[in-house]
């Protein structure tokens, strides 16, 4: 299962990154509207959520680095919650 996830993430992640500068209508995988402005464009492929962490609305002073740091903190937080092993969460 982990190998399948990794293969999917690498394959589709490369496509999303490679098509960054194409207009959305020309992309193989189009962004979806899941709400929120700070996380950058979001994509769902085969049930996996991809967040492309860029400062697309200037919420971080036009700093993609700051947007990436925020996304990193979100991921760390989710991993910590997961490791708490809280039932029904």
């Amino acid at each position: 299962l982990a190998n399948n996830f990794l293969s999917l993430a690498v394959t589709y992640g490369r496509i999303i990154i490679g098509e960054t500068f194409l207009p959305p209508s020309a992309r193989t995988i189009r962004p979806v509207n899941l709400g929120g402005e700070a996380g950058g464009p979001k994509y769902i492929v085969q049930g996996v959520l991809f967040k492309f962490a860029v400062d697309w609305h200037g919420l971080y002073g036009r700093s993609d680095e700051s947007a990436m740091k925020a996304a990193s903190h979100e991921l760390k937080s989710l991993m910590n919650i997961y490791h708490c092993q809280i039932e029904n969460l």
Side-chain angles (χ1 to χ4, degrees):
L1 184 62
N3 287 335
N4 288 343
F5 175 80
L6 182 60
S7 177
L8 182 144
V10 169
T11 300
Y12 291 109
R14 284 185 177 154
I15 292 169
I16 292 166
I17 292 166
E19 295 180 348
T20 299
F21 298 104
L22 293 177
S25 62
R27 295 178 189 175
T28 306
I29 304 167
R30 293 188 176 92
V32 294
N33 184 1
L34 298 177
E37 299 296 325
K42 295 147 186 89
Y43 305 83
I44 297 179
V45 182
Q46 294 189 19
V48 177
L49 172 65
F50 292 82
K51 286 178 65 174
F52 196 74
V54 292
D55 189 15
W56 64 338
H57 290 298
L59 298 174
Y60 298 101
R62 298 280 178 215
S63 170
D64 288 343
E65 181 180 359
S66 295
M68 290 177 209
K69 285 182 181 180
S72 174
H73 288 301
E74 287 178 7
L75 184 57
K76 288 176 189 175
S77 297
L78 288 170
M79 293 304 296
N80 282 318
I81 291 169
Y82 173 77
H83 288 296
C84 288
Q85 299 180 348
I86 300 170
E87 289 186 38
N88 301 318
L89 182 62

